[in-house]
């Protein structure tokens, strides 16, 4: 039989957690539910769904669409991923991300723009970053693009780049894989540190300044 640890021997914090859990058990119900089909994933596999919330809004993104809602679930806006990030002949968009930058009170999104040859091998990769001017995702967004290609034992581009922030910078990371025709093998981690530039840079619709590692 399984051994039981007497509750009076558990650390105080664990006892408190168990007590609260016992009181709440079976009483929690969601205050708000969202339609799981509120944002389209049609014709995109995988869908790569991501979401972020601020004090007043929710932004959801997939490989097909981006949409934003108030905290009561009312849809406030929606665009295809191409309408939002822009379409470029010979390229397609994939691997979207979104987060809420609580340091600045803004939403930040990213997407990977890639081109492929007839064999499906990636020939070029570019990272697009877009940040709201304010907390409101229905207002202005500032967008910048930079090359995701790096020479690390051969030409490589990122797969599934991910974003994070602190009070000074935006961090973009990804596993770098060989581009078509490259002698590179295996995957290598890579990091771009993007200055927020709140007063005159990226976050102010100015020049994007980045450092790569």
């Amino acid at each position: 039989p399984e051994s039981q640890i007497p509750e009076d021997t558990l650390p105080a914090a664990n006892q408190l957690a168990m007590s609260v859990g016992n009181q709440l058990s079976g009483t929690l119900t969601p205050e708000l539910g969202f339609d799981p089909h509120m944002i389209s994933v049609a014709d995109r596999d995988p869908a790569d769904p991501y979401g972020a919330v601020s004090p007043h809004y929710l932004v959801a993104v997939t490989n097909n669409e981006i949409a934003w809602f108030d905290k009561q679930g009312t849809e406030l806006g929606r665009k295809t991923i191409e309408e939002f990030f822009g379409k470029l002949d010979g390229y397609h968009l994939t691997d979207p991300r979104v987060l809420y930058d609580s340091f600045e009170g803004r939403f930040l999104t990213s997407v990977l723009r890639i081109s492929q040859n007839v064999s499906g091998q990636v020939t070029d990769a570019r990272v697009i970053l877009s940040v709201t001017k304010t907390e409101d995702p229905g207002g202005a967004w500032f967008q910048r693009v930079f090359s995701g290609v790096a020479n690390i034992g051969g030409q490589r581009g990122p797969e599934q780049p991910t974003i994070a922030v602190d009070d000074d910078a935006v961090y973009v990371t990804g596993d770098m894989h060989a581009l078509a025709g490259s002698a590179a093998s295996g995957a290598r981690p890579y990091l771009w540190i993007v200055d927020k530039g709140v007063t005159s840079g990226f976050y102010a619709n100015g020049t994007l300044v980045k450092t790569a590692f």
Side-chain angles (χ1 to χ4, degrees):
E2 294 185 2
S3 60
Q4 298 288 331
I5 301 176
E7 287 192 19
D8 58 4
T9 66
L10 292 174
N14 284 355
Q15 291 186 44
L16 176 61
M18 290 180 65
S19 174
V20 172
N22 290 335
Q23 292 179 48
L24 294 178
S25 179
T27 66
L28 293 179
T29 57
E31 294 184 6
L32 174 67
F34 283 91
D35 180 352
H37 301 101
M38 66 184 180
I39 181 166
S40 173
V41 297
D43 303 321
R44 303 294 173 97
D45 185 18
D48 287 342
Y50 280 83
V53 294
S54 71
H56 302 100
Y57 302 98
L58 179 148
V59 177
V61 64
T62 70
N63 272 327
N64 196 61
E65 287 187 328
I66 182 169
W68 47 98
F69 308 79
D70 64 22
K71 294 294 277 289
Q72 288 68 49
T74 303
E75 181 180 321
L76 303 176
R78 173 187 301 263
K79 291 185 178 181
T80 68
I81 208 76
E82 288 81 9
E83 289 171 337
F84 184 81
F85 287 106
K87 187 174 182 179
L88 186 63
D89 288 344
Y91 287 78
H92 73 270
L93 302 170
T94 187
D95 303 341
R97 299 288 188 273
V98 62
L99 60 75
Y100 178 66
D101 181 350
S102 60
F103 297 99
E104 312 300 336
R106 312 207 199 168
F107 284 97
L108 176 72
T109 64
S110 69
V111 75
L112 186 62
R113 174 181 280 162
I114 61 173
S115 62
Q116 295 172 291
N117 60 24
V118 294
S119 300
Q121 298 172 306
V122 176
T123 58
D124 188 30
R126 305 175 188 183
V127 177
I128 305 177
L129 295 177
S130 190
V131 64
T132 54
K133 183 178 180 179
T134 66
E135 182 199 352
D136 183 4
W141 291 74
F142 303 145
Q143 183 172 291
R144 294 294 182 269
V145 184
F146 64 88
S147 174
V149 175
N151 191 341
I152 313 170
Q155 294 292 93
R156 299 173 182 268
E159 182 176 304
Q160 295 283 348
T162 299
I163 52 175
V165 296
D166 62 16
D167 56 349
D168 294 317
V170 175
Y171 300 87
V172 184
T173 62
D175 287 332
M176 303 291 281
H177 294 265
L179 297 181
S182 172
S185 61
R188 297 290 186 274
Y190 207 66
L191 167 67
W192 291 273
I193 300 178
V194 178
D195 292 340
K196 285 184 178 178
V198 173
T199 59
S200 61
F202 170 42
Y203 271 43
N205 203 26
T207 302
L208 182 148
V209 178
K210 69 182 189 313
T211 305
F213 294 92

